[in-house]
Amino acid sequence: QVQLVESGGGLVQAGGSLRLSCAASGRTFGSYVAAWFRQAPGKERVIVARIAASGGTAYYADSVKGRFTISRDNAKNTLYLQMNNLKPEDTAIYYCAAGAYGVYTSGSYAYWGQGTQVTVSS
């Protein structure tokens, strides 16, 4: 079992930056693939970024490539998402997720945080 708690969301102007954190409980976090998803009002939950259990390989959605960076510190059981040059279309609830076989769809992740709101004003 892994419990995930996100923090770091908030209101920021376009062009600004935020850093999301996801604190994980449980000694097995380092063995799971981890990811950030987001869900805008009226839209489906979509993947933003994904990182391998070891932290060595990362995937980014085209919409955030070059602006967002996913990282993890397994010694601290924490997942991060550094978001730079934010745009109004980045406004959404951001969720962290972990799973043994997580790929690019939400159904492939067993563990989820409660979400944190990110709002980008124009």
Side-chain angles (χ1 to χ4, degrees):
Q1 278 282 0
V2 176
Q3 279 85 43
L4 304 172
V5 179
E6 303 96 336
S7 61
L11 173 65
V12 64
Q13 288 189 327
S17 298
L18 283 174
R19 188 194 197 201
L20 305 183
S21 298
C22 175
S25 65
R27 290 176 289 179
T28 58
F29 175 70
S31 64
Y32 289 116
V33 174
W36 289 96
F37 284 75
R38 67 186 182 187
Q39 187 166 19
K43 296 189 176 181
E44 65 179 12
R45 191 173 300 188
V46 296
I47 193 166
V48 174
R50 169 189 181 269
I51 190 167
S54 65
T57 304
Y59 160 86
Y60 297 93
D62 287 343
S63 59
V64 306
K65 204 171 292 183
R67 300 188 297 122
F68 290 12
T69 302
I70 189 172
S71 62
R72 67 191 297 166
D73 185 337
N74 287 338
K76 295 183 178 179
N77 277 0
T78 305
L79 177 72
Y80 303 100
L81 185 68
Q82 178 66 44
M83 305 186 294
N84 297 329
N85 190 22
L86 282 159
K87 304 176 180 180
E89 51 264 42
D90 294 318
T91 295
I93 299 175
Y94 284 70
Y95 299 88
C96 66
Y101 306 106
V103 280
Y104 309 113
T105 57
S106 59
S108 62
Y109 291 84
Y111 306 107
W112 290 86
Q114 82 289 349
T116 186
Q117 177 71 47
V118 171
T119 303
V120 184
S121 63
S122 57

